[in-house]
Amino acid sequence: MTFVLQDHAKLVSFFSECHELIGRKKLQKMIYILKKCDYPFSERYQFHFYGPYSEELTLRVQELINLGFLEEEKEKKKGFYQYRYSITEEGQKFLTHYNINMPDMDQWIEKMKGMSSRFLELIATMLYFDNRPKEEIEDKVFTVKKKQNYTREELERAWEFIAEMNVKH
């Protein structure tokens, strides 16, 4: 059983360090960005309307909720629903059964939790196209994220964060 739920344990570990996370989009982008920084998350991503998206991550999180390891609260906000995630006591117990050696994510989780989903979407989109030169990545962002109206300043801040996280592009 140890290996069967290994990927679930990695996510529970993330939520354990997160304590609480608000937003499905934010969750998707944070895991993607950490994955791009060589944190050992295995979920596969495809480019989607809001940038990189993993159906596997969505399903795994739902499984963790069904198992009672995560709690999901749905809140109505200005005409839309917002989701709040937190680890349960059962989730903490579950982690004690796994000897997963996750690198420390604390500082990055805290920084990203303080960023807007929109800004994380920008960073994740830039990282999705990281096999291209910087100028091409920026052109691609302005093309595929035209409606977001990202500014040059936002791109610069995103590049600074990417450099700070030491992501190779």
Side-chain angles (χ1 to χ4, degrees):
M1 176 162 154
T2 309
F3 293 104
V4 175
L5 296 175
Q6 193 78 13
D7 292 328
H8 292 73
K10 290 174 185 176
L11 284 175
V12 173
S13 175
F14 167 82
F15 282 104
S16 179
E17 287 192 41
C18 232
H19 305 292
E20 181 178 78
L21 184 66
I22 300 171
R24 287 179 170 174
K25 183 161 83 166
K26 187 172 262 195
L27 168 63
Q28 285 278 341
K29 303 317 168 218
M30 286 175 69
I31 295 292
Y32 182 76
I33 292 165
L34 288 168
K35 183 177 172 149
K36 291 298 281 188
C37 293
D38 292 328
Y39 285 84
F41 293 105
S42 65
E43 291 76 14
R44 289 185 302 267
Y45 278 79
Q46 296 175 317
F47 200 77
H48 199 260
F49 184 72
Y50 295 111
Y53 170 79
S54 172
E55 190 170 335
E56 280 180 54
L57 176 59
T58 299
L59 294 172
R60 215 163 260 149
V61 166
Q62 191 57 56
E63 289 168 352
L64 291 171
I65 292 165
N66 294 343
L67 289 166
F69 300 157
L70 284 184
E71 186 173 20
E72 178 186 65
E73 290 179 53
K74 188 175 173 180
E75 307 168 332
K76 192 159 177 99
K77 290 271 190 187
K78 299 178 188 170
F80 69 94
Y81 286 100
Q82 181 172 281
Y83 296 84
R84 180 183 306 263
Y85 297 95
S86 56
I87 188 170
T88 64
E89 199 174 307
E90 284 301 310
Q92 293 290 7
K93 285 182 196 169
F94 168 72
L95 275 182
T96 65
H97 298 288
Y98 283 85
N99 187 15
I100 55 170
N101 192 13
M102 289 293 281
D104 183 29
M105 301 177 270
D106 238 2
Q107 81 176 64
W108 301 121
I109 287 173
E110 282 310 306
K111 283 187 182 211
M112 288 190 284
K113 277 176 64 177
M115 296 174 176
S116 69
S117 295
R118 180 181 180 278
F119 189 64
L120 290 172
E121 181 181 338
L122 171 61
I123 294 167
T125 300
M126 291 167 71
L127 290 173
Y128 191 83
F129 298 111
D130 68 353
N131 60 338
R132 302 163 189 243
K134 185 176 178 177
E135 297 74 30
E136 273 186 46
I137 293 171
E138 291 181 358
D139 288 345
K140 196 77 172 157
V141 165
F142 287 130
T143 302
V144 300
K145 295 288 168 191
K146 191 177 188 89
K147 289 183 179 176
Q148 290 284 33
N149 291 317
Y150 288 116
T151 65
R152 287 270 164 214
E153 293 82 27
E154 287 174 307
L155 259 74
E156 264 325 296
R157 282 194 1 251
W159 282 122
E160 287 167 13
F161 182 74
I162 290 168
E164 186 182 344
M165 286 191 83
N166 203 20
V167 179
K168 289 126 188 95
H169 76 88

